[in-house]
């Protein structure tokens, strides 16, 4: 039969031989060292060597990675959902030489077990059209500061950090231990000439999730009800005349306590703890210092096995604000009246 473009290929056709032979028969797994996972089955052991990579890479970088895979693991590798590279090695003798060469090429090995893995992030200034901050720049600054925790696996539990450059959050920011979210704080500045010349008014009105945009037939444009605007930037996607980016008032909010895992406690959404920090590229010192402070506080006080949100829930949010020195303001109160009354945050849905 001819090949058709209908969904992804069958993953079973691309499995390494060692996985095919052990499929459904694995005996146990362990972590010999940070950055290395060992899965053992009747046909032998598979070593997954995890190393960090930037989310945005060039063709030459991909070629270098593939050359390493060809040299040490018969070409078998995979990318994780957090942009880590995992080399799937079936020969134990190749593990140490692979790690040495990865480190020499600037790809540090780590991020497994109770450690900080790569930051998953969105496009930011490099590509997106509605960001309130950069993604790659903040991710680089934060991970440079927290790099020691990528190479260690003795934290209370794993820590997942996510970066979303605007409230639309095309990253996993709403369910990460620490989430950095770019926020706009002013309503769009309208260019009525651009709206009249190149915008479908009904589509622009319909793009607003809070019905803040109203048609203005007299001027063949639109108006904005400012008290209903949530500064999401959806309108700019529909019309280049709705300018949402604001260099002076855009910034970063920090949310904590989210997780996808259903282990021990149910999945949970992140909650905002710092409403606004300014954009100060290229190193964003205020954001970096705030993240480091929260991480160190969790490491010093959490019990073994506690995720960041689980630790906060145990001690109480009031005590967390007291211990961290983060001021509690009216911005922390959820008074948004247009959201659903409840959100299902458990992986076990009941109706």
């Amino acid at each position: 039969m001819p090949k058709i473009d209908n969904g992804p290929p069958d993953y079973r056709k691309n499995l390494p031989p060692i996985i095919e032979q052990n499929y459904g028969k694995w005996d146990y797994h362990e972590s010999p060292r940070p950055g290395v996972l060992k899965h053992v089955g009747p046909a032998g052991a598979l070593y997954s060597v995890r190393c960090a990579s930037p989310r945005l890479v060039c063709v030459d970088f991909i070629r270098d990675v593939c050359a390493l895979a060809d040299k040490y693991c018969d070409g078998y590798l995979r990318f994780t959902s957090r942009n880590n590279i995992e080399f799937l090695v079936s020969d134990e003798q190749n593990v140490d030489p692979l790690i040495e060469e990865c480190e020499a090429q600037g790809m540090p090995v780590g991020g497994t077990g109770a450690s900080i893995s790569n930051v998953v992030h969105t496009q930011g200034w490099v590509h997106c059209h509605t960001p309130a901050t950069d993604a790659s720049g903040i991710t680089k600054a934060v991970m440079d500061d927290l790099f020691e925790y990528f190479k260690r696996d003795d934290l209370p539990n794993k820590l997942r950090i996510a970066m979303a450059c605007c409230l639309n959050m095309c990253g996993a920011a709403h369910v990460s231990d620490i989430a950095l979210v770019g926020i706009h704080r002013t309503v769009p500045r309208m260019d009525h000439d651009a709206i009249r010349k190149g915008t479908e008014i009904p589509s622009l009105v319909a793009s607003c999730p809070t019905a803040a945009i109203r048609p203005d037939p007299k001027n063949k444009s639109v108006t904005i009800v400012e008290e209903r605007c949530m500064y999401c930037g959806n309108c700019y996607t529909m019309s280049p005349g709705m300018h949402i980016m604001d260099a002076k008032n855009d910034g970063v909010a920090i949310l904590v306590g989210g997780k996808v895992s259903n282990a021990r406690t149910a999945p949970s959404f992140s909650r905002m703890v710092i409403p606004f920090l300014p954009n100060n590229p290229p190193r964003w010192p205020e954001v970096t210092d705030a993240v480091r402070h929260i991480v160190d506080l969790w490491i010093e006080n959490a019990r073994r096995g506690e995720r960041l949100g689980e630790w906060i829930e145990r001690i109480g949010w009031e005590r967390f604000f007291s211990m961290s020195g983060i001021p509690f303001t009216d911005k922390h109160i959820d008074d948004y009246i247009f959201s659903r009354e409840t959100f299902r945050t458990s992986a076990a849905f009941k109706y």
Side-chain angles (χ1 to χ4, degrees):
M1 293 180 62
K3 292 184 178 180
I4 59 174
D5 185 14
N6 185 12
D10 189 343
Y11 70 92
R12 290 171 293 187
K13 295 181 180 179
N14 298 306
L15 293 177
I18 189 69
I19 293 182
E20 285 188 308
Q21 297 165 15
N22 285 322
Y23 201 90
K25 307 173 186 177
W26 297 102
D27 296 325
Y28 65 93
H29 69 273
E30 59 186 10
S31 180
R33 55 178 288 184
V36 179
L37 301 173
K38 179 181 179 181
H39 291 78
V40 180
L46 172 72
Y47 296 86
S48 301
V49 178
R50 179 180 295 182
C51 64
S53 77
R55 180 179 181 273
L56 304 174
V57 298
C58 64
V59 174
D60 290 337
F61 178 87
I62 298 295
R63 286 175 176 158
D64 291 341
V65 169
C66 291
L68 286 175
D70 288 337
K71 183 176 180 180
Y72 292 105
C73 49
D74 300 321
Y76 291 104
L77 62 83
R78 76 183 194 101
F79 282 82
T80 71
S81 60
R82 305 191 72 85
N83 314 314
N84 298 289
I85 301 171
E86 284 192 359
F87 295 95
L88 305 178
V89 184
S90 56
D91 186 352
E92 184 179 2
Q93 294 182 352
N94 287 337
V95 172
D96 288 338
L98 171 60
I99 292 175
E100 292 177 6
E101 194 157 344
C102 285
E103 296 280 358
Q105 293 192 19
M107 296 186 295
V109 174
T112 59
S115 66
I116 295 180
S117 187
N118 259 13
V119 177
V120 61
H121 66 86
T122 56
Q123 300 289 350
W125 291 335
V126 72
H127 185 68
C128 187
H129 62 287
T130 60
T133 187
D134 190 30
S136 301
I138 291 182
T139 296
K140 170 65 173 172
V142 169
M143 280 309 291
D144 279 352
D145 188 63
L146 299 177
F147 180 69
E148 62 181 294
Y149 299 132
F150 179 80
K151 304 286 287 186
R152 293 166 45 183
D153 61 355
D154 57 350
L155 277 59
N157 203 328
K158 61 183 179 182
L159 187 81
R160 296 293 181 256
I161 303 176
M163 173 73 219
C165 52
C166 76
L167 289 175
N168 291 301
M169 290 200 295
C170 48
H174 52 299
V175 286
S176 294
D177 295 288
I178 298 177
L180 313 175
V181 181
I183 57 169
H184 301 289
R185 298 193 299 170
T186 54
V187 298
R189 303 178 304 281
M190 291 179 288
D191 182 343
H192 294 289
D193 287 337
I195 294 173
R196 281 191 287 265
K197 291 177 181 177
T199 302
E200 293 182 350
I201 300 297
S203 298
L204 175 57
V205 172
S207 71
C208 182
T210 59
I213 301 176
R214 308 292 172 83
D216 184 3
K218 182 178 179 180
N219 296 309
K220 297 182 180 180
S221 184
V222 296
T223 60
I224 296 177
V225 182
E226 293 193 13
E227 58 268 23
R228 295 185 69 94
C229 180
M230 59 183 270
Y231 321 121
C232 67
N234 276 353
C235 53
Y236 183 79
T237 302
M238 301 306 301
S239 172
M242 307 292 288
H243 300 287
I244 187 66
M245 295 179 67
D246 185 336
K248 180 179 179 180
N249 293 292
D250 290 348
V252 182
I254 296 183
L255 295 77
V256 304
K259 74 185 187 82
V260 178
S261 168
N262 206 30
R264 295 175 301 279
T265 58
S268 58
F269 281 130
S270 307
R271 298 186 183 184
M272 185 177 66
V273 294
I274 301 179
F276 179 80
L277 292 170
N279 273 328
N280 280 326
R283 300 300 295 178
W284 282 268
E286 295 87 357
V287 176
T288 301
D289 291 346
V291 173
R292 161 68 76 163
H293 178 55
I294 293 171
V295 171
D296 287 345
L297 195 66
W298 167 68
I299 292 174
E300 292 171 5
N301 296 279
R303 295 172 180 169
R304 186 69 179 170
E306 277 186 328
R307 297 285 291 268
L308 177 59
E310 294 170 339
W311 166 64
I312 296 175
E313 290 290 343
R314 176 172 62 82
I315 67 173
W317 285 89
E318 296 86 353
R319 179 155 174 73
F320 168 74
F321 277 99
S322 175
M323 293 177 63
S324 63
I326 298 172
F328 187 88
T329 69
D330 60 330
K331 302 297 188 297
H332 293 91
I333 300 173
D334 185 6
D335 59 354
Y336 183 64
I337 63 175
F338 303 111
S339 64
R340 304 270 181 159
E341 292 183 359
T342 60
F343 291 97
R344 297 183 182 273
T345 60
S346 172
F349 293 102
K350 296 181 180 179
Y351 293 95

